[in-house]
Amino acid sequence: MSDLYWLSDAQMARLEPYFPKSHGKPRVDDRRVLSGIIFINRNGLRWRDAPREYGPHKTLYNRWKRWSDRGVFARIMAGLAGEHGEETTVMIDATHLKAHRTASSLGVKKGGVDG
């Protein structure tokens, strides 16, 4: 699959200070797992649909769940937004809404334009 997403060395260097310390057994490759999590979220896929290049889907889910519960992703977002240097609130939004095909005609009545 040629359209896989991989974090670059520069991106990993910016993210690593926010990673929790590994205690005991070393973690599975952070770049592979985080790239897989981003790919899943970006494409709206189920964990089971993760391409095999990112490793087992259960590993992706477990890391996402554990780090979400511990606030790691929130700290990453806050830290990256804080590096921007602005004192205002910065919002990062990854949602999108799909309009129904009839949504463009809501202001139009049958037989002509609503005045």
Side-chain angles (χ1 to χ4, degrees), residues 16-23 27 30 67 70 72 75:
E16 283 177 1
Y18 304 105
F19 294 171
K21 303 290 183 235
S22 180
H23 300 288
R27 284 192 304 260
D30 288 327
W67 281 19
R70 292 173 62 187
V72 174
R75 282 193 303 275

Side-chain angles (χ1 to χ4, degrees), residues 39-83:
F39 183 85
I40 290 295
N41 287 320
R42 175 189 275 178
N43 293 297
L45 300 174
R46 298 178 309 166
W47 295 106
R48 288 189 180 281
D49 295 333
R52 69 180 72 218
E53 288 84 356
Y54 295 125
H57 71 273
K58 190 70 173 170
T59 301
L60 300 177
Y61 172 77
N62 286 341
R63 176 82 58 93
W64 174 81
K65 177 70 173 144
R66 190 169 45 252
W67 281 19
S68 293
D69 291 346
R70 292 173 62 187
V72 174
F73 292 118
R75 282 193 303 275
I76 289 172
M77 292 299 183
L80 293 176
E83 289 176 8

Side-chain angles (χ1 to χ4, degrees), residues 1-54:
M1 190 178 268
S2 62
D3 58 346
L4 295 179
Y5 175 79
W6 295 103
L7 289 164
S8 69
D9 290 337
Q11 290 168 326
M12 285 300 293
R14 286 187 67 197
L15 295 175
E16 283 177 1
Y18 304 105
F19 294 171
K21 303 290 183 235
S22 180
H23 300 288
K25 186 176 172 185
R27 284 192 304 260
V28 176
D29 181 26
D30 288 327
R31 180 188 313 267
R32 188 186 75 191
V33 173
L34 290 176
S35 296
I37 291 170
I38 292 169
F39 183 85
I40 290 295
N41 287 320
R42 175 189 275 178
N43 293 297
L45 300 174
R46 298 178 309 166
W47 295 106
R48 288 189 180 281
D49 295 333
R52 69 180 72 218
E53 288 84 356
Y54 295 125

